[in-house]
Amino acid sequence: MYKVLTFGMTDNYGGVESVIMNYYRRFDHKKIKMDFLVTSSSEIAYSSEIKKYEGKIFSIPSRHDAPIAYHKSVNKFFKNHAQEYDCFWVNMNNLVNIDYLKLAKKYGIKRIIIHAHNTRLMETGIKGKIREGIHQYNKKQLLRYATDFWACSQDAANWFYDKKILSKVCIIKNALKEDKYSYKESNRTKLRKKYGLENKTIIGNIGRLNYQKNQSFLLDIFAQYLLLDENAKLLLIGKGEEERALKEKVKKLDIASNVIFLGMKENVIPWYSVFDIFVFPSHFEGLGLVLLEAQANGVPVLATKDTIPTDVKVNENLEFISLSKSAKYWAEKIKKNLDNDARIKSKEAIVTNFQKANYDIDLEAERVEKLFLSTTIK
C-alpha cells in the first residue's frame, strides 16, 4: 500500500478540491491510500466521501488566524506522522508558505510533490507586492525540498516554478468524467420551476466571489445585456469575501430583481443544464475547472482572453474575449451566442472532444496513479 498525505483541501467546493477528488475517486484504493492535512476549522469539502474511502483528516490551526498554535501543531504533526507516508502531495496556489515542504523534508518523507494550481496571487496592492516577493524567493528554494513538480497547465508552471525546474514539470490535466455533466432536460425543468425561472434567459457563473473571478465586471456585463433582453436572469453560485460588495453593486445598478445569489452548492452539476450560457470574465486562472465542467455540459461559454490558459478549450463554442473590451461588447457576444443556439447537444461529440484533449478522467487517472507508484517523473 502506497500512502499519500495530501494538502490542499478546504471547506470550499472549489476547483482544486474537485481536481483532487476527481483523481482520488478513481485511484485503486487497494494500491493507494490517501490522508489529508487541512487548516480548516470547519468540516472540509467532500469529508464524508473521504471517510468512505477510509481516508483520515488531520486538522491544524491556520497560520493566519493562530500563528503560534499553527507552528506548534504543524511541527508536531510531521514529527509524529511523517514516517507513516511514502509521499506528500502538496496542492498550492502560491509559494508564500512552504513550511509544509520544509517539515516534510526534515522529518523524512522521501517523496514530496508540489502541484501548482494558479498563475498569479489573489492579493493586489502593497500586500500583494510583499507576498509576490516571498513567492519569488521561495521559487528558488524548491529544489532543496521537493522531488516532483506538477502543474495544471504550462501557464501555471511558468509562473510557479524557477527556470531551472521547468524542464522537470509534469502537466497534470484537470480531468473529469465528462458524461457526468451531460445536459439533462429534467435538471433544467426542475430547477427552473423551483426558482421561478421558466421562460427566462439564464446567464450563469460559478466561482468564489472574489477579485480573481471578477463577478464585479460580470454585473456590468449583465446590466448591459438587460438592455438587449429584459427577460434575463443572472445566477451566481459561490461564496466569498466580495459577496457584500457585489450585492451592494447590484442595488446601485438597479438589477436586484434579475440577479440571484445562490450561495455555495455542494453539487453544481445540475445547474449547467439550467444555464443558457456560462460567462466567466476571470482576471486569471491556473486553468479554470468550471470551464471544463461547462463544456462537458455543452453550454456555450465566454471566458477571458490572455489570462486564462487556452489549454482549457475543448469545444468550439468556448470563446475567449479580452477584458479590455467593454461590458457592452461582452453583452453583445452573449446575445449572439444565444441567438445562434450555440449549445452542443451531441453527448458523443463532447466525449470525443474531451478524450482528444486528454481531459477524460478515466484515462488521466490511470496515468497519474502510475506517476504516484513510480519512482521517477514521467
Side-chain angles (χ1 to χ4, degrees):
M1 179 71 73
Y2 191 79
K3 296 190 68 175
V4 179
L5 177 64
T6 303
F7 181 82
M9 297 294 287
T10 71
D11 60 355
N12 180 47
Y13 289 86
V16 174
E17 292 81 1
S18 295
V19 169
I20 293 170
M21 290 305 297
N22 282 340
Y23 279 104
Y24 183 36
R25 292 181 187 111
R26 286 162 179 82
F27 289 155
D28 185 338
H29 298 288
K30 293 179 181 178
K31 294 181 179 178
I32 296 177
K33 183 182 187 303
M34 287 175 58
D35 291 338
F36 296 81
L37 177 64
V38 304
T39 57
S40 176
S41 57
S42 56
E43 189 173 274
I44 66 167
Y46 306 106
S47 60
S48 58
E49 190 175 358
I50 289 169
K51 291 171 184 175
K52 183 182 75 173
Y53 296 128
E54 299 183 353
K56 296 177 183 177
I57 300 172
F58 299 97
S59 182
I60 59 175
S62 162
R63 186 172 78 157
H64 178 268
D65 297 332
I68 296 175
Y70 156 79
H71 282 290
K72 288 182 179 179
S73 295
V74 71
N75 188 77
K76 182 179 179 180
F77 172 84
F78 281 100
K79 184 178 181 179
N80 292 341
H81 296 283
Q83 69 278 3
E84 299 171 18
Y85 297 100
D86 300 292
C87 175
F88 186 30
W89 181 23
V90 193
N91 294 270
M92 307 177 80
N93 284 315
N94 61 67
L95 294 168
V96 173
N97 179 13
I98 60 171
D99 293 344
Y100 309 100
L101 307 178
K102 294 177 179 179
L103 290 169
K105 175 77 171 181
K106 177 181 178 180
Y107 289 109
I109 299 181
K110 293 181 179 179
R111 191 169 184 200
I112 300 172
I113 302 171
I114 304 177
H115 193 158
H117 289 275
N118 220 334
T119 55
R120 58 173 284 189
L121 288 162
M122 305 283 187
E123 296 81 7
T124 57
I126 295 176
K127 182 179 180 180
K129 290 180 179 179
I130 293 172
R131 288 171 65 84
E132 178 70 28
I134 298 171
H135 172 86
Q136 294 298 329
Y137 174 79
N138 284 338
K139 281 170 65 168
K140 301 183 183 303
Q141 313 305 311
L142 293 184
L143 284 171
R144 297 171 60 187
Y145 306 112
T147 59
D148 299 55
F149 307 93
W150 293 0
C152 63
S153 68
Q154 191 59 51
D155 287 18
N158 291 342
W159 176 69
F160 217 87
Y161 297 118
D162 189 70
K163 291 180 179 180
K164 295 178 181 178
I165 293 175
L166 285 178
S167 63
K168 304 176 184 293
V169 174
C170 182
I171 302 299
I172 304 297
K173 296 278 191 174
N174 285 1
L176 49 80
K177 190 59 183 170
E178 61 277 359
D179 57 7
K180 183 179 177 182
Y181 294 83
S182 297
Y183 175 80
K184 288 183 174 59
E185 186 66 30
S186 57
N187 286 337
R188 184 179 179 89
T189 302
K190 180 181 177 180
L191 287 170
R192 281 179 168 243
K193 183 177 181 179
K194 180 179 179 179
Y195 288 88
L197 302 173
E198 299 101 323
N199 303 314
K200 299 292 185 182
T201 301
I202 305 299
I203 298 170
N205 176 273
I206 299 174
R208 188 173 182 86
L209 304 180
N210 65 6
Y211 168 80
Q212 178 186 356
K213 304 302 179 182
N214 201 18
Q215 286 95 349
S216 181
F217 182 52
L218 178 56
L219 293 179
D220 293 327
I221 294 169
F222 183 64
Q224 287 294 317
Y225 182 77
L226 283 174
L227 300 177
L228 307 174
D229 176 11
E230 61 183 16
N231 196 42
K233 297 280 188 180
L234 173 63
L235 305 188
L236 298 174
I237 297 177
K239 66 176 185 178
E241 53 271 26
E242 288 197 0
E243 183 171 348
R244 179 180 294 181
L246 291 171
K247 287 181 176 179
E248 286 298 319
K249 184 167 184 174
V250 163
K251 292 177 183 177
K252 289 180 180 179
L253 290 172
D254 196 23
I255 56 175
S257 61
N258 297 86
V259 179
I260 301 176
F261 289 83
L262 291 167
M264 187 173 67
K265 300 290 182 184
E266 181 174 346
N267 181 17
V268 300
I269 293 174
W271 288 97
Y272 290 109
S273 294
V274 174
F275 303 153
D276 292 306
I277 190 167
F278 188 80
V279 183
F280 197 68
S282 181
H283 278 117
F284 57 93
E285 292 291 329
L287 188 80
L289 183 66
V290 291
L291 295 177
L292 290 174
E293 294 176 349
Q295 289 178 92
N297 177 270
V299 65
V301 178
L302 299 183
T304 311
K305 184 179 181 181
D306 298 328
T307 59
I308 294 178
T310 56
D311 308 30
V312 80
K313 183 167 182 173
V314 176
N315 295 335
E316 286 303 313
N317 66 345
L318 184 153
E319 182 177 356
F320 293 107
I321 304 174
S322 173
L323 284 180
S324 65
K325 296 292 186 181
S326 67
K328 181 181 178 182
Y329 182 90
W330 280 72
E332 289 170 346
K333 283 290 187 178
I334 292 173
K335 188 71 165 60
K336 182 178 179 181
N337 272 269
L338 295 175
D339 288 346
N340 292 336
D341 188 20
R343 185 186 290 274
I344 297 175
K345 298 180 175 65
S346 171
K347 178 180 175 180
E348 292 74 18
I350 292 172
V351 170
T352 298
N353 291 344
F354 270 75
Q355 290 177 343
K356 285 182 178 179
N358 297 321
Y359 283 115
D360 182 279
I361 189 62
D362 290 332
L363 300 176
E364 287 300 293
E366 184 178 345
R367 180 176 77 92
V368 174
E369 181 177 288
K370 288 178 180 177
L371 283 175
F372 272 118
L373 297 175
S374 70
T375 56
T376 57
I377 302 173
K378 300 291 185 183

